[in-house]
Amino acid sequence: MIGKETFHKISFVFLAFFFALSPISISLSQIFAGLSLFFLFLDQMKKRKLPQIPIALIFWTGLYLSFLLTPLIENQTIQWKKDIVKSEFGDLWMGFLLLHQTYLKDREKKRIQNFVFLGAIILILSGTISLFFPYRLAPFVMDGLRHIEGKRLPHLLANVHGISVYLPIGFQSTHLTYGGLLAVYLPSLWEKSYRLLSKKKRMIQFWKTSLLTLSVSGFGMVLLLLNQSRSIWIGIFLGTILLLQKSKSSIKSILPWVLTGIFFLLMSFLLFYHSNWLFQRAIDDLFAKRSLENQRIWIHKMNYSILKENLVFGIGGGNYENRFIDIAIPIVNEIPALYYDLSITPKSHAHFDVLHDLILGGLFAFLFYLGFLWSITKQIDTTNRKYVFYLGIPIVLFAGSFQCYLLDDEVLLPFMGLLALLPILKFTPKNEFQSKPNESLFQTLFQNLKIETLSFSFGLILFWIFFSLTVTYLWSRTENAELVLHRTRTNQNFPSPLSQLSVNAKSPIPLPVPTKQMYFKLSGCLDQVLNFRKDPSPRLKPIQLEILWDKEVETNLPNRLTVEIRKRESFDQDKEYRVQKESVVKTFAVPLNRKDVQIVVDPREFVTETPAFVDFGFWYEWDSVSPHLPRLRILGNCD
């Protein structure tokens, strides 16, 4: 016979499993989240009452309903699969985890917090394994504990005394998802570590738990650093500001800890920057004219192009990629060299949580999002001593301004689960109007309505959103032609700064003495004519470039030059870094006759089945004691 609380207990158990196992598998987390909600509804049906709906869930539901405004206004038939199941609207159900906010008792929420702590330990352990494991954990496990040839390999971070160290991603598919999960789960470790450190007697009494907690918490910070999720780093920095503002401690008491933490982070950044190419790439890409960050610029160029035409009602769910391609086609027709950059740019979403919602649902979505944001920050501010535990919520909200964490199921689900553990938002009933002597009617109304100022946390997040919107808008103003740049690389495919300076330079580049020889590769152009929504066609125009001979420094220019014609895959798993297959198809010596050298390649001479790049390799040799690198002139599409 089913007891009075049976369904309630089963729902509780599945919610506990959900938190503990979310770091391992998105499929498991969805199953346990769904079962938890299913038994919640069964329990409410058995008790013959409707679940109490939190205010945050009302705003969340309104946000997703706004994605259907465009098809309704334009009298389109809403298609079940396209507009509901396979669009962003399909994530609406995850918000129903918020029902646990009013469904669970306070003591049950405290017990669930222990499972969040368990999930954090599992997340750190999986990240530690992936740090040293030569294959990606998720496909390795799914394929029966074996690696299948052709599956993506993890990024190599470093080789320390013969031990390979990889970018930590745990059981996730990307380092960004793992970074988002760290943001959600790590604060539970910080909170427990803080409580143990603040009570030395308790720390000595439970020394085994204390040692485990402090060790895992510290190593979690190391993984966060190695993971290189820059958006999460920004989120933690801003989250720390909220924490300091919330803390009742004086500045003097916490200043040494803050300075120590900043010093540790700066030293770690410098160490990794100078010793690791992948970490260096993560930082340098922020300032490079053409890099993986250029994909972010392209995304925002498309975002604001779409937004200015659909500001009020948005474009509707499931339409982002098509609108992106519609705008990209005329750009590629005008500047064909940009096809590769646009083709490898992710087109599924706006890479900015608020901006993506605004594009899909217009101003209505934006207002609902602000309401959702206001309600949850209001709840977080009531957590007091547990504020650190919930710090992952504002961290994800901050980080979502330069990433897409609320569009990532693996992060969104536990994020919603964490919201479900927040205290219920309650309103203080307003007193009847009572006027005091010598008080105006306006003053009476103002005081009795108890108009509250916006909380610091809501204000800071709001400021950060508008700041991020401004920055991304300025990015989007970059002219298309400015994003065309031919990259130079070393023989090992690392960036080659000195040779990069020679591309379309105004004068030859002085080289360190005593440089006698130098090799670098120069990325060329695609060997076929491409655009979206049409098949590739053979390129008829020759691929060409010029090596310019400046008379004023000709005694310092190279004495010998060997040129390679190279073919390189145009599409790969890691953009333009390290993994594209390439080969030398022709090598020849170039006679240097003290005049400009023109190199011309017929793209039909080395035809491949799929579109590929025609690149160049240059091997220079000098006899001069003051070597200079000659200028290279190459136009956008190698015309």
Side-chain angles (χ1 to χ4, degrees), residues 32 67 193 264 326 457 495 638:
F32 288 129
F67 299 164
S193 299
F264 170 76
D326 288 341
S457 51
C638 310

Side-chain angles (χ1 to χ4, degrees), residues 244-274:
L244 294 176
Q245 187 273 336
K246 188 74 175 177
S247 173
K248 295 180 181 179
S249 305
S250 66
I251 295 295
K252 287 184 178 179
S253 64
I254 61 176
L255 189 59
W257 292 99
V258 173
L259 293 177
T260 302
I262 292 173
F263 177 79
F264 170 76
L265 288 175
L266 286 176
M267 289 301 100
S268 301
F269 270 106
L270 287 173
L271 176 65
F272 279 103
Y273 182 81
H274 289 290

Side-chain angles (χ1 to χ4, degrees), residues 231-297:
S231 53
I232 294 297
W233 295 345
I234 294 171
I236 289 176
F237 174 76
L238 294 171
T240 303
I241 294 176
L242 288 181
L243 191 60
L244 294 176
Q245 187 273 336
K246 188 74 175 177
S247 173
K248 295 180 181 179
S249 305
S250 66
I251 295 295
K252 287 184 178 179
S253 64
I254 61 176
L255 189 59
W257 292 99
V258 173
L259 293 177
T260 302
I262 292 173
F263 177 79
F264 170 76
L265 288 175
L266 286 176
M267 289 301 100
S268 301
F269 270 106
L270 287 173
L271 176 65
F272 279 103
Y273 182 81
H274 289 290
S275 62
N276 180 255
W277 77 270
L278 195 60
F279 193 87
Q280 192 177 73
R281 187 187 84 181
I283 303 301
D284 289 350
D285 277 354
L286 290 172
F287 309 102
K289 185 177 179 183
R290 181 170 183 262
S291 67
L292 292 184
E293 291 306 308
N294 258 38
Q295 274 66 66
R296 197 62 52 84
I297 292 177

